[in-house]
Amino acid sequence: MSGNTVTRPLSASCTPSRAARELDLKRSEFDLAVHLGRIRTMPDEGGGGRRVARAEIERLRSDPGFPEALRASVLAVGTSEGAAVMGVPSARFTRLARLGLVVPVRFYLNRYRAVVWLYLADELQQFATDGTNAFLLTGRTPEVLRSQLDAGVDLRSRNWRGRHLGFLHRQADGPWQRAGVLAGFLDPLQVAAVVKDPYERSHLNRFRPRPPAQGTPGTPAAHLVEKIMTADDPDEIDWLRYDLERTLAEARAEQPAPRPAWKPAPTPPAGPPDRPADTDRPEDTGRPEDTDRPDRPTRGLLTWLRRRNG
């Protein structure tokens, strides 16, 4: 009966998987939209990860272009598709990417362990339609750029790191989390040079970000992802170290890293009392003491026998 039906109220927030379904997005598209700030998330009060507020889902669904506009804003393409979007050959597109003129938004490793960079299609479209970039799309590449390419410049990894750092900073909930994000892009030796306290380093490691591409630890693929994740340019390293020092100062001021509770030194167990010196004990002569032979009584008996017989 309708009078006995209990209607459960909708939760004020939902999990990322549920939000992706309600927004008609694949999970990879949803994750990228979160990274780009297209979808706002909130921390789960129960510590179960991040959630999406129901009001945020309704805001996105009320957009006139939903869901096509949302999907288009997170469309990521590779080199061939990106070149087609910009109307240039793939070789020219790769040169533009190496020079840092177009910035990758994510990457993955194919079955040959080659890095495949992905770019936002709408950013490529904006670059191509900007009249100030026309000289980069046709004709001969300017000499100053060609000299950089000849020197082996490739800014794709560094530009991706800068972009990914921004993504992770937006999700950090405090200075320790932000410091952990920064430490995630530095070699452990660089981190140890900045964070000399082992308890602070241990606390900081709790907030280091996971690599974006999954791989079995210790495999060549995992090492390659770690290399892409780690800053290798001197000025990039200097900037990250400076920002880590500054953020750590904020974290220490807000809440020092936890340390083990101080415990007093254990008291040794009580033993038997020391035996006092025995002053009546005969001096040790180096030979066993003959306790079976009486002394004075034996000499007195011999004297009495001699007198009696004499």
Side-chain angles (χ1 to χ4, degrees), residues 76-300:
V77 296
T79 298
S80 299
E81 300 99 325
V85 169
M86 297 179 65
V88 298
S90 295
R92 181 178 288 268
F93 180 89
T94 300
R95 290 196 296 270
L96 295 174
R98 287 180 56 192
L99 290 166
L101 298 173
V102 292
V103 180
V105 72
R106 62 171 34 171
F107 72 90
Y108 68 90
L109 305 181
N110 64 16
R111 59 180 178 174
Y112 304 108
R113 291 203 299 271
V115 182
V116 179
W117 296 104
L118 299 176
Y119 307 81
L120 283 176
D122 62 347
E123 288 185 354
L124 301 180
Q125 183 65 42
Q126 293 173 21
F127 185 92
T129 55
D130 188 341
T132 60
N133 298 324
F135 74 102
L136 296 170
L137 303 179
T138 59
R140 188 174 178 82
T141 302
E143 177 62 30
V144 64
L145 298 181
R146 281 192 288 114
S147 64
Q148 294 179 31
L149 292 170
D150 293 340
V153 67
D154 190 346
L155 298 177
R156 288 176 292 186
S157 295
R158 176 173 179 172
N159 284 344
W160 172 81
R161 285 192 294 270
R163 188 166 205 166
H164 195 56
L165 176 62
F167 297 160
L168 297 175
H169 256 206
R170 283 195 292 271
Q171 293 187 351
D173 298 322
W176 277 111
Q177 289 84 345
R178 291 195 297 273
V181 167
L182 291 164
F185 292 89
L186 284 169
D187 182 273
L189 293 178
Q190 297 287 347
V191 176
V194 175
V195 191
K196 302 184 184 301
D197 188 315
Y199 295 111
E200 288 188 340
R201 285 200 303 273
S202 177
H203 189 55
L204 198 65
N205 285 336
R206 296 175 52 197
F207 307 108
R208 289 175 68 96
R210 282 182 167 185
Q214 298 298 321
T216 304
T219 62
H223 287 309
L224 181 55
V225 172
E226 182 180 353
K227 182 179 179 181
I228 294 173
M229 187 85 176
T230 306
D232 56 2
D233 192 84
D235 62 341
E236 181 187 9
I237 293 172
D238 289 344
W239 179 84
L240 286 169
R241 288 185 54 160
Y242 169 79
D243 212 21
L244 178 58
E245 290 177 355
R246 181 182 59 81
T247 308
L248 268 177
E250 297 177 7
R252 293 183 187 115
E254 181 177 289
Q255 182 180 10
R259 297 173 182 276
W262 180 83
K263 296 181 179 179
T267 303
D274 294 339
R275 181 176 180 178
D278 188 358
T279 55
D280 297 332
R281 188 174 182 178
E283 183 181 358
D284 188 1
T285 61
R287 63 178 183 270
E289 185 178 356
D290 190 356
T291 59
D292 295 334
R293 186 180 66 183
D295 191 4
R296 289 183 181 276
T298 303
R299 289 198 297 268

